[in-house]
Amino acid sequence: MYRILMHKDSDGYCSAGIVYRYLKEKEVPDTQIYFHGINYGMPVPEEINYEKDTVYMVDFSLQPADVMLEFAEKLGDRFIHIDHHQSSVDMEEEVPALQRVPGIRQVHYHGDKESSLISGAELTWFYLYQKHSHPPAVQLVGEWDTWRYTGKSEERQEDVTAFQYYLQSVNSNPAHRDGRRFWYNILGGAGDADLSIPREGLTSGRALMAYQHKQWKSVLGNKGFTADFQGLTAVMVNQQGNSTMFKGFFDPEEHDIMVTYQEVHGEYLTVSMYTPKTDILNLGVLAKKIGEAGDRPSGGGHAGAAGFQCGWEYFKTLYDVIGNFG
């Protein structure tokens, strides 16, 4: 069996879609390919047969380092780990044995800090196909996940954001048959990449984006608040979303970070943090520090976007409310 463990976001889904395309080219039947969404704090799938399965882990790593090493050693050469998060690179420095794990862990395009950040999907494509040229959908996902789109033209920023809304409106989770078919087609599994899908996605994504922003404006206005979050001035809201939901509420002159949090299955919170101030802040480091000190050790991400999981009581100790928008 082939098992693909993917981070539960668009970059993780796209990365898994690329692995699926690659395996189909190797004539691996669908009956031999299984997908497992995973996030920080979630257990490793119990279905894994450590004696026989080949496992691809994309856009994600287990934490802490000793857990990752134990998992890798159980699978040996049948474990391929592809990740672009700084936390994965840091773990390899902490535990050098992880450097021998097949795959690639790299934060920047050319492996040096002078080059652009690379997304999990872009890194997966590069590792499996040994080239940086990739379908338009991979580029759109990559620019969003690494925040590279913020340095682009206003039109490109809108395109990248709209495509994210489109992905949320269709079944893009490869764990489902429709999701696998979606990525297989958009990544050119049957030939050249279907360029009509991104165009269609951008058109419908813009409409969805306009509607969602109206909804979020209401949510932020009624439920949003400012707080001192670990010494940083934050705009916070108890709602699932992304950085674009804070438009009109987050002012970089007054605020440092944006924070969303939401209860999962009545058991714990998933907390996400965002900032455009990556020249002075690294939320990946902050998330790891906060998450590992909490009641559900977890956390990591990028300088501009990161997250962790924890219980309500611990979360309440992390901030002091300054004022409400409502």
Side-chain angles (χ1 to χ4, degrees), residues 115-141:
S115 57
S116 299
L117 293 171
I118 190 169
S119 71
E122 290 165 328
L123 190 61
T124 301
W125 185 273
F126 171 71
Y127 176 74
L128 294 177
Y129 293 103
Q130 293 299 300
K131 57 184 178 181
H132 282 302
S133 58
H134 36 56
V138 178
Q139 183 79 16
L140 288 166
V141 169

Side-chain angles (χ1 to χ4, degrees), residues 48-57 68-81 97-103 105 127:
I48 296 175
N49 183 330
Y50 292 94
E51 300 298 322
K52 297 180 179 180
D53 290 348
T54 294
V55 176
Y56 285 83
M57 181 179 289
M68 187 66 178
L69 180 61
E70 180 182 4
F71 182 79
E73 289 179 336
K74 286 182 179 179
L75 290 161
D77 291 340
R78 288 177 288 103
F79 177 50
I80 299 91
H81 182 212
L98 287 171
Q99 297 174 14
R100 297 193 294 270
V101 174
R105 277 71 64 189
Y127 176 74

Side-chain angles (χ1 to χ4, degrees), residues 175-197:
H176 305 134
R177 184 175 63 179
D178 288 346
R180 291 193 292 276
R181 184 182 298 118
F182 172 82
W183 288 113
Y184 188 71
N185 290 334
I186 206 171
L187 296 173
D192 291 336
D194 187 350
L195 302 183
S196 66
I197 299 179

